[in-house]
Amino acid sequence: MQKINKNAVLALLTLSSLVFLLFQLYYYRSYLAHKNGAVFSKVRGSQSGQDSTRWHVVRKFLSLISSHNIPVYLIDPLILGLVDKDIEQIRSSSDGPSPECKYFCVPRDFTTFALLDKTWKHEVGLFRTAEKMGFQWLKVLNKDPRLDGMDDLSGTEIPLHYIFKLASHAIHLVVFYERSGNYLWHGPLRLKQHMDRKFVPFRKLHFGRYPGAYEKPELLLVSIDDLKIQIPKNPSSFLEEMTHSRFLECRYREARAFFQLYPDDASVDAVEFRKRAKSLLHLAALTLNNLGVKFWLSSGTCLGWYRQCNVIPYSKDVDLGIFIRDYKADIIPAFQKAGLPLKHKFGKVEDSLELSFQGEDDVKLDIFFFYEEDDHIWNGGTQAKSGKKFKYLFPKFTLCWTEFVELKVHVPCETLQYVEANYGPDWKVPVKTWDWKSSPSNVQYNGVWPVDEWDDVIQIY
Amino acid sequence: MEEWKPNAVLKPHKKRSWYLAWKYKLMNQRALRKLCQTGAVLFLLVTVIVNIKLILDTRRAAYEEEEESAQDYDDELLNVEVPRHPVSNKKVLDVEVYSSRSKVYVAVDGTTVLEDEAREQGRGIHVIVLNQATGHVMAKRVFDTYSPHEDEAMVLFLNMVARGRILIFTIKDEGSFHLKDTAKNVLKSLGSQVAPFLSWRDMWTFVGKKGGEVYGEKHAKSPALSTWGDPVLLKTEVHLTSVEDAECHWPDTELNRRRRRFCSKVEGYGSVCSCKDPTPIEFNPDPLKDNRVFDVPVAVIAGNRPNYLYRMLRSLLSAQGVNPRMIMVFIDGYYEEPMDVVELFGLSGIQHTPISIKNARVSQHYKASLTATFNLFPDAKFAVVLEEDLDISVDFFSFLSQSIYLLEEDESLYCISAWNDQGYEHTAEDPSLLYRVETMPGLGWVLRKSLYKDELEPKWPTPEKLWDWDMWMRMPEQRKGRECIIPDISRSYHFGIVGLNMNGYFHEAYFKKHKFNTVPNVQLKNVESLRKDAYETEIHRLLGEAEVLDHSKDPCEDSFVPDTEGKVYVMFIKMEQEADFTTWTQLAKCLHIWDLDVRGNHKGLWRLFRKKNHFLVVGVPASPYSSKKPSSVVPIYMEPPAKEEGAVAVPAVAAAEQT
């Protein structure tokens, strides 16, 4: 009797262990699913049901916004990617019913739409209707960056993102604002403390990690999966734009602090120089953008943006950077055509290229070409009279958009490192006497051009 | 985990013989057997525990993961939640009211809601309106009833206060000298026993509900003309009503939600908060055909004069062709009530931390407002600039829509303004007529973005310069010889009486009689002729057909201009050089038009109307139009009065204006 009991106990324990093991395996599985798969689409069995849910949510959302006359357009990268493959067909197809749900049924957690702020009136009625239709919604507000540069203006906060959730699908509505420089801007998505962090898996949103800058898109009304919808006319270029749309706001607060320490120069000369530098920069941007050459603010102009959100009045020139891989032979003729004659050309495409154009009224436009190495990026300098070469080293950087003197331009995203490389740790202190051969903290002596090449690599007009 | 697997695979039935042998063998060694069994049990128990722990761990990890996922999106700023004041369920408010010669104060439940002990200020009757349900202060006013007409303003205000509100009165210094019987009767009807007998330098406090009970009243009579009554302190209790009783029952629409919010916060706006028949807060004026200013932003520059702002926005939103989306109200300072007014109308407002003082503060506020306007509407080429003390004509936008293209095309233009400095009731006649003038009138004007961004903004007067922005804009360095277009009959009306540079006397003398267009859809005459060169041709044509007046008569006399209608007359005055305005100033004075500085001139020519005739004044010989003077005519010279006389009133308000 006793022996049997002992065996029974043993068996019972073994059994319970097994049960635990199974439970554990099951739990782990569901945990994995949780992590990789959709939070919403847990149900694997009814795949088709899920698919049509997404379509239905999108349809409901579109009817909601059209009932309030709010023009939105699709910017969902996943769907636009699919649409782009069939763009010819979609453009030409008439409104006939489509046989299958090809786009709006693909598995995903969100569908993303864009809304131009100026095209709607912020009616509260929209949200009431949304609630009646069964949507839960979340609004993300933040400060208006267009007033950020201003001395102590406090507007009401502006809506940057809306999320409408219905059943297992959510609509992410990104609000775009027009800003000085003729571009569209959307804000970052930042949750305030009281907000529901689990409303949707915010991490998976395609927009909102950073603010972004976009060109104003041309729109096209198409019918996809029996839904009439506006999309960017050229989805592939929109998707391309999206990959490097990150926007940096100027550091207005720091700039104000800087001007507290070093009051701004409001003399007639300074005002005049700023005006000229601004128009030169606008002209240069226009010319390079027409050529499709990507450029960024470099040297003193970049420092001016980063430190004081303005042109440094005693800087005498405008400096731009271009990656040598983006070099085009048309650059020089294009500038000449724009009324900016070549002043000098140092180096050659293979090494240390630098162009300088003469703007109006003694303002010079310097274009430095940057060469990428494995662990750094550099540009070159040449002393005309001695043929000496210099090299300026920078840590690797990527490009971000920003707004400067009413222009949407690139700056290095890692601006601080870039500025510090160039101007050293004391970049915050204005220096009026600057020697380009010795002042920069990242300058290196780089030999001398061979004399027989001088005619080619040192051209002064 | 691995180690207990052998146990699990243990299959006792298949290898029975071996198992039995082993079993018997073990049975022989009892101690060892016992040990093994205990070991196995313990081992299994440990396994169970480890498993449970593992489960808990995974669970926590999963939870943390989720937490983290939202972290990137957290607002970096710590949004410290403002602890809300616990809603007091108290039904009774303690009210303390103090009245004395040099100090008044009102405390509600221990919180001071009014305290005024400043010298030479705040004389008269202070009135506070409390919400009967919440006890919040809805309005604070002071009526200097020592001075004339202020009692009328008080009656007007008290009539606007809704029934049921709690009213608190207290006198500082003197409040009875110009307190007429009408006002005394209104106070009496509120339940005051003392009001009808208030006299010179009495002290008085009163708390009552409009149209209801009296909570308390105290009075101290002045014993003699030269002394004040003793200070009085009234302590009383006020019973609060329920919120439902204090609010109106308007239908639940978006508009009424805004109205309810507004009316539960502030008081003194009259019928907008009337329960029975509230005045509309949405106007829907007729749209304009071919509206060329629909997308032009409208910047409304405001301070802390919410009643003015209310009146101004009403007229603005009633103007044909208005686009409420483009209106931005800029409030100088963190005042709540102006913002409430802005929100009542569903408009956008921006508050501005005050920088600097007096004129410089206004000037900085202008700069910030203009910059913000062009930032918020980056597409805009122009901005309409308005102030909070202006009525806007019904055809304001129509006027601009017809003329704005000139500002775009004609480089010699500085602005378009809705205001004619010389357009008084007796000197303006033709709503379709426009002028070019060398002065910048302001008071409702259009600014070109390029002018602001390229010229004005970079060199705008800095905060330490105590300049008037408009005076600065009129300086030759800024204006550079450019001109403004103005209408003969103004499209704005300046109703502000209190202000930085403004007082009742000044307003009465210079603004009250200003003509204001009320005709809708006026078709402007010959806008093309306002271009630089075309205007000269036009002027020469006008002078060509003009009849020269009899220069032997006194130009101040009415008979100087014949009793005709629709004719063009010209007179010549002496003007030695461009800046010689001696005669003009005297003429302006006797014509009762703007004479504090020179306004409305164009190359030594002024255009106005007298007796419905177009009346031209040419300064000879400085004006290029002097050539039109017949040689027989001697230009009129008017001598300035003796110094002392002229110096009395003028310098005090000289060049003061607007704001």
Side-chain angles (χ1 to χ4, degrees):
Chain A
M1 197 61 192
Q2 209 188 18
K3 279 168 217 162
I4 297 166
N5 270 352
K6 274 174 194 164
N7 281 333
V9 167
L10 202 72
L12 204 74
L13 281 172
T14 317
L15 199 76
S16 60
S17 301
L18 264 170
V19 168
F20 265 112
L21 182 71
L22 284 175
F23 178 71
Q24 191 188 344
L25 272 173
Y26 167 79
Y27 197 88
Y28 187 61
R29 224 183 92 120
S30 76
Y31 164 64
L32 274 186
H34 207 84
K35 201 171 164 192
N36 302 335
V39 187
F40 307 130
S41 47
K42 268 184 211 153
V43 199
R44 296 246 175 264
S46 57
Q47 189 71 39
S48 60
Q50 277 298 312
D51 290 349
S52 63
T53 304
R54 291 182 202 108
W55 182 83
H56 275 293
V57 173
V58 172
R59 195 190 55 133
K60 263 198 153 173
F61 174 73
L62 289 174
S63 76
L64 166 71
I65 51 123
S66 70
S67 71
H68 283 78
N69 280 323
I70 300 170
V72 299
Y73 58 96
L74 184 76
I75 51 167
D76 195 278
L78 190 71
I79 296 173
L80 282 183
L82 294 172
V83 164
D84 189 45
K85 285 181 198 146
D86 311 332
I87 188 72
E88 288 310 319
Q89 194 195 334
I90 289 171
R91 268 188 200 142
S92 56
S93 74
S94 55
D95 300 338
S98 66
E100 46 172 351
C101 177
K102 211 171 154 190
Y103 308 99
F104 286 113
C105 290
V106 291
R108 66 196 188 282
D109 295 327
F110 301 98
T111 310
T112 318
F113 286 92
L115 166 63
L116 279 186
D117 168 68
K118 70 168 186 182
T119 55
W120 79 304
K121 289 189 194 164
H122 303 256
E123 299 115 335
V124 191
L126 174 72
F127 303 102
R128 301 206 148 207
T129 323
E131 278 163 18
K132 275 184 204 144
M133 289 171 85
F135 281 104
Q136 286 176 279
W137 58 274
L138 179 97
K139 174 161 78 168
V140 178
L141 293 167
N142 219 326
K143 276 191 305 199
D144 191 336
R146 297 167 299 178
L147 301 176
D148 239 21
M150 313 278 320
D151 287 345
D152 313 305
L153 280 192
S154 67
T156 32
E157 293 200 321
I158 53 170
L160 299 180
H161 296 263
Y162 292 100
I163 295 170
F164 294 85
K165 189 167 79 171
L166 182 71
S168 60
H169 196 65
I171 305 286
H172 180 196
L173 185 58
V174 184
V175 189
F176 281 80
Y177 289 84
E178 264 180 47
R179 294 190 49 178
S180 312
N182 201 28
Y183 67 100
L184 298 181
W185 173 91
H186 75 76
L189 193 154
R190 297 290 177 267
L191 299 174
K192 303 250 160 94
Q193 267 190 343
H194 59 273
M195 283 180 174
D196 179 7
R197 245 138 267 269
K198 287 184 193 155
F199 188 72
V200 288
F202 289 101
R203 246 190 192 184
K204 283 186 234 158
L205 292 175
H206 298 291
F207 290 80
R209 178 164 294 246
Y210 301 115
Y214 291 82
E215 293 298 304
K216 292 179 189 169
E218 269 188 84
L219 297 179
L220 184 69
L221 183 68
V222 293
S223 170
I224 312 175
D225 291 343
D226 292 336
L227 295 175
K228 282 226 180 268
I229 200 162
Q230 299 238 64
I231 60 167
K233 201 168 185 181
N234 189 343
S236 62
S237 68
F238 178 83
L239 292 171
E240 155 70 12
E241 202 182 356
M242 189 184 152
T243 54
H244 34 77
S245 63
R246 187 177 162 192
F247 181 88
L248 294 181
E249 205 63 65
C250 198
R251 301 155 70 246
Y252 295 110
R253 193 185 296 245
E254 287 83 354
R256 272 203 288 280
F258 173 82
F259 284 125
Q260 291 277 315
L261 272 177
Y262 310 100
D264 200 12
D265 182 358
S267 65
V268 179
D269 285 351
V271 169
E272 265 309 297
F273 175 76
R274 281 191 168 141
K275 195 172 148 189
R276 280 186 222 132
K278 178 180 165 184
S279 71
L280 179 61
L281 189 57
H282 275 252
L283 185 59
L286 183 71
T287 312
L288 289 171
N289 289 340
N290 282 343
L291 289 174
V293 173
K294 199 191 274 185
F295 68 95
W296 65 90
L297 304 183
S298 190
S299 309
T301 312
C302 185
L303 178 67
W305 170 77
Y306 191 68
R307 188 172 68 187
Q308 49 206 73
C309 299
N310 206 339
V311 174
I312 301 176
Y314 49 85
S315 57
K316 298 191 187 74
D317 50 17
V318 171
D319 304 311
L320 302 180
I322 295 177
F323 284 120
I324 195 68
R325 62 178 138 89
D326 294 327
Y327 173 79
K328 283 184 182 165
D330 309 344
I331 291 178
I332 298 175
F335 273 110
Q336 277 165 338
K337 216 171 151 190
L340 301 173
L342 186 64
K343 192 167 180 234
H344 59 241
K345 178 186 172 192
F346 294 137
K348 49 189 178 180
V349 176
E350 300 77 37
D351 185 9
S352 302
L353 183 64
E354 179 191 339
L355 300 174
S356 191
F357 297 93
Q358 185 59 55
E360 272 176 65
D361 310 301
D362 236 26
V363 187
K364 196 158 60 89
L365 174 70
D366 288 329
I367 300 183
F368 305 103
F369 288 86
F370 283 67
Y371 297 80
E372 283 179 274
E373 305 292 340
D374 287 338
D375 60 344
H376 68 279
I377 297 176
W378 63 275
N379 73 306
T382 300
Q383 188 178 27
K385 64 170 192 263
S386 65
K388 276 184 195 159
K389 287 162 72 183
F390 299 91
K391 199 173 186 178
Y392 304 88
L393 305 184
F394 294 91
K396 286 226 160 191
F397 58 84
T398 50
L399 294 180
C400 279
W401 290 113
T402 193
E403 183 184 311
F404 186 59
V405 292
E406 290 169 72
L407 203 60
K408 174 189 157 217
V409 283
H410 276 124
V411 286
C413 298
E414 299 78 10
T415 329
L416 179 63
Q417 286 93 309
Y418 189 85
V419 168
E420 273 191 340
N422 215 176
Y423 295 96
D426 293 332
W427 57 270
K428 280 187 182 168
V429 184
V431 177
K432 292 204 180 177
T433 48
W434 185 258
D435 181 0
W436 59 273
K437 301 179 293 300
S438 57
S439 301
S441 55
N442 59 340
V443 66
Q444 276 184 8
Y445 185 60
N446 193 23
V448 182
W449 289 104
V451 178
D452 56 326
E453 278 188 47
W454 280 29
D455 283 351
D456 189 35
V457 299
I458 304 175
Q459 299 180 20
I460 298 177
Y461 300 92
Chain B
M1 230 192 284
E2 288 291 314
E3 288 146 80
W4 66 267
K5 266 182 184 162
N7 271 332
V9 251
L10 204 87
K11 289 164 188 151
H13 296 284
K14 277 188 181 171
K15 289 189 175 178
R16 199 165 184 98
S17 58
W18 176 80
Y19 170 68
L20 284 175
W22 179 67
K23 199 174 144 189
Y24 286 119
K25 207 174 164 187
L26 280 183
M27 270 163 79
N28 291 335
Q29 299 167 354
R30 236 166 196 248
L32 188 70
R33 202 185 67 207
K34 262 239 150 94
L35 195 80
C36 276
Q37 278 175 351
T38 331
V41 169
L42 272 176
F43 187 72
L44 284 170
L45 273 174
V46 167
T47 318
V48 168
I49 290 166
V50 166
N51 271 322
I52 291 173
K53 195 170 150 31
L54 207 77
I55 288 167
L56 288 176
D57 276 356
T58 13
R59 201 187 177 127
R60 203 178 55 221
Y63 185 72
E64 274 169 6
E65 180 91 2
E66 250 169 47
E67 278 284 277
E68 203 180 293
S69 72
Q71 234 164 49
D72 287 11
Y73 292 91
D74 280 354
D75 202 332
E76 297 140 31
L77 298 167
L78 269 180
N79 288 297
V80 185
E81 289 272 307
V82 184
R84 296 215 164 179
H85 290 291
V87 184
S88 62
N89 288 320
K90 223 177 130 192
K91 290 279 180 200
V92 177
L93 287 180
D94 295 320
V95 179
E96 262 180 57
V97 196
Y98 183 78
S99 163
S100 71
R101 176 194 171 184
S102 56
K103 176 181 178 174
V104 286
Y105 78 82
V106 174
V108 177
D109 261 357
T111 313
T112 307
V113 295
L114 166 77
E115 185 161 25
D116 186 346
E117 46 186 336
R119 281 158 168 252
E120 319 277 318
Q121 263 182 44
R123 177 183 56 201
I125 302 181
H126 290 249
V127 186
I128 287 185
V129 184
L130 299 184
N131 186 305
Q132 69 271 40
T134 60
H136 288 311
V137 176
M138 301 182 74
K140 250 196 253 189
R141 299 282 190 282
V142 53
F143 300 97
D144 179 13
T145 43
Y146 170 80
S147 311
H149 303 304
E150 285 277 308
D151 60 332
E152 293 160 23
M154 184 172 81
V155 169
L156 213 65
F157 174 74
L158 291 176
N159 286 338
M160 276 198 289
V161 172
R163 268 179 77 91
R165 302 279 186 234
I166 294 151
L167 291 163
I168 302 172
F169 296 83
T170 177
I171 288 183
K172 184 179 176 188
D173 192 356
E174 214 299 309
S176 73
F177 190 51
H178 272 102
L179 192 67
K180 301 274 163 50
D181 283 347
T182 331
K184 284 181 175 171
N185 285 333
V186 169
L187 293 177
K188 190 181 164 196
S189 72
L190 289 170
S192 167
Q193 309 268 324
V194 180
F197 316 106
L198 266 184
S199 57
W200 175 250
R201 288 183 175 172
D202 284 359
M203 294 300 134
W204 173 64
T205 58
F206 175 72
V207 181
K209 180 177 242 175
K210 186 165 177 186
E213 56 208 293
V214 173
Y215 298 108
E217 182 166 29
K218 266 194 178 177
H219 175 233
K221 210 157 173 43
S222 156
L225 267 186
S226 57
T227 52
W228 284 262
D230 292 331
V232 292
L233 175 63
L234 171 68
K235 289 188 183 183
T236 182
E237 282 184 347
V238 171
H239 294 268
L240 294 177
T241 56
S242 71
V243 176
E244 289 74 46
D245 292 346
E247 279 186 352
C248 298
H249 302 282
W250 296 304
D252 189 38
T253 61
E254 201 175 326
L255 286 182
N256 279 339
R257 239 169 280 138
R258 294 206 309 249
R259 190 195 296 277
R260 183 165 298 133
R261 216 183 98 76
F262 180 77
C263 293
S264 68
K265 272 184 90 176
V266 295
E267 186 55 87
Y269 292 83
S271 56
V272 74
C273 293
S274 147
C275 282
K276 261 193 183 161
D277 186 21
T279 185
I281 52 172
E282 200 177 50
F283 305 93
N284 301 315
D286 295 340
L288 269 188
K289 255 191 182 176
D290 300 325
N291 190 348
R292 295 165 91 158
V293 290
F294 192 73
D295 288 330
V296 175
V298 177
V300 179
I301 316 285
N304 189 18
R305 294 182 288 176
N307 287 74
Y308 283 10
L309 186 61
Y310 174 80
R311 170 170 168 181
M312 187 273 166
L313 290 178
R314 283 193 81 88
S315 76
L316 176 62
L317 291 170
S318 309
Q320 290 181 358
V322 68
N323 178 1
R325 280 281 287 158
M326 302 303 283
I327 299 175
M328 255 315 146
V329 183
F330 295 92
I331 299 162
D332 190 12
Y334 290 100
Y335 302 113
E336 264 185 59
E337 202 169 320
M339 205 60 180
D340 293 332
V341 171
V342 171
E343 281 166 10
L344 169 72
F345 291 113
L347 301 173
S348 322
I350 289 175
Q351 287 167 314
H352 181 208
T353 313
I355 299 171
S356 194
I357 48 159
K358 287 185 185 163
N359 305 12
R361 171 169 166 181
V362 173
S363 167
Q364 292 311 303
H365 182 49
Y366 258 88
K367 183 188 180 187
S369 307
L370 296 177
T371 304
T373 303
F374 288 120
N375 278 354
L376 291 170
F377 301 99
D379 281 352
K381 283 188 198 152
F382 307 100
V384 175
V385 185
L386 300 173
E387 283 141 37
E388 68 183 341
D389 50 6
L390 297 178
D391 279 330
I392 301 304
S393 165
V394 64
D395 83 326
F396 179 77
F397 291 105
S398 156
F399 157 70
L400 293 181
S401 174
Q402 292 174 65
S403 55
I404 199 157
Y405 77 98
L406 286 177
L407 195 55
E408 197 167 355
E409 293 168 12
D410 188 345
E411 289 282 307
S412 70
L413 285 179
Y414 198 46
C415 77
I416 296 177
S417 175
W419 180 257
N420 177 6
D421 284 304
Q422 311 294 19
Y424 290 85
E425 288 288 355
H426 58 289
T427 56
E429 206 55 53
D430 187 350
S432 65
L433 185 62
L434 303 181
Y435 302 135
R436 275 178 84 105
V437 294
E438 287 169 18
T439 50
M440 205 216 88
L443 297 176
W445 55 291
V446 186
L447 170 67
R448 198 195 281 131
K449 180 179 183 177
S450 58
L451 170 68
Y452 181 68
K453 278 282 166 193
D454 298 342
E455 299 182 38
L456 303 179
E457 187 188 27
K459 53 177 182 179
W460 197 272
T462 45
E464 71 276 5
K465 299 201 174 91
L466 299 181
W467 291 348
D468 278 316
W469 69 273
D470 50 340
M471 289 296 161
W472 177 78
M473 267 195 77
R474 287 178 187 128
M475 279 155 62
E477 294 90 321
Q478 275 64 253
R479 196 169 62 80
K480 292 181 179 157
R482 288 169 291 193
E483 295 185 300
C484 287
I485 287 183
I486 59 163
D488 179 52
I489 299 183
S490 299
R491 263 45 175 200
S492 60
Y493 179 75
H494 186 264
F495 62 77
I497 296 180
V498 287
L500 188 58
N501 297 326
M502 192 53 71
N503 58 55
Y505 162 76
F506 188 60
H507 185 266
E508 188 125 349
Y510 289 102
F511 291 101
K512 206 167 178 183
K513 295 274 170 60
H514 237 280
K515 199 156 187 169
F516 175 61
N517 181 53
T518 50
V519 184
N521 283 320
V522 176
Q523 189 65 41
L524 299 181
K525 203 159 52 186
N526 207 0
V527 180
E528 271 302 298
S529 72
L530 270 296
R531 286 181 194 273
K532 192 172 191 243
D533 297 332
Y535 195 67
E536 295 313 310
T537 320
E538 171 71 10
I539 295 293
H540 279 103
R541 187 191 64 76
L542 259 181
L543 287 168
E545 77 178 57
E547 201 173 297
V548 180
L549 288 162
D550 182 353
H551 281 56
S552 62
K553 287 185 180 165
D554 179 357
C556 293
E557 290 296 319
D558 210 35
S559 58
F560 184 67
V561 178
D563 291 323
T564 55
E565 261 186 42
K567 296 194 99 182
V568 185
Y569 294 112
V570 60
M571 77 173 280
F572 299 90
I573 59 168
K574 202 164 165 189
M575 186 171 159
E576 292 298 349
Q577 74 268 282
E578 246 182 86
D580 170 22
F581 298 115
T582 322
T583 305
W584 166 253
T585 306
Q586 295 318 308
L587 183 65
K589 210 163 255 165
C590 75
L591 292 180
H592 299 291
I593 56 178
W594 186 272
D595 59 2
L596 299 183
D597 56 1
V598 180
R599 299 281 175 93
N601 50 319
H602 167 82
K603 296 188 178 176
L605 166 84
W606 286 265
R607 297 176 66 179
L608 32 122
F609 280 86
R610 279 183 85 175
K611 291 184 182 171
K612 302 199 171 178
N613 301 298
H614 203 19
F615 177 67
L616 311 176
V617 180
V618 177
V620 179
S623 169
Y625 309 123
S626 305
S627 56
K628 295 277 174 179
K629 182 180 77 68
S631 50
S632 58
V633 169
V634 180
I636 291 179
Y637 174 69
M638 294 167 78
E639 211 162 327
K643 269 272 163 73
E644 40 187 347
E645 211 181 303
V648 180
V650 179
V653 281
E657 204 251 3
Q658 284 116 350
T659 24

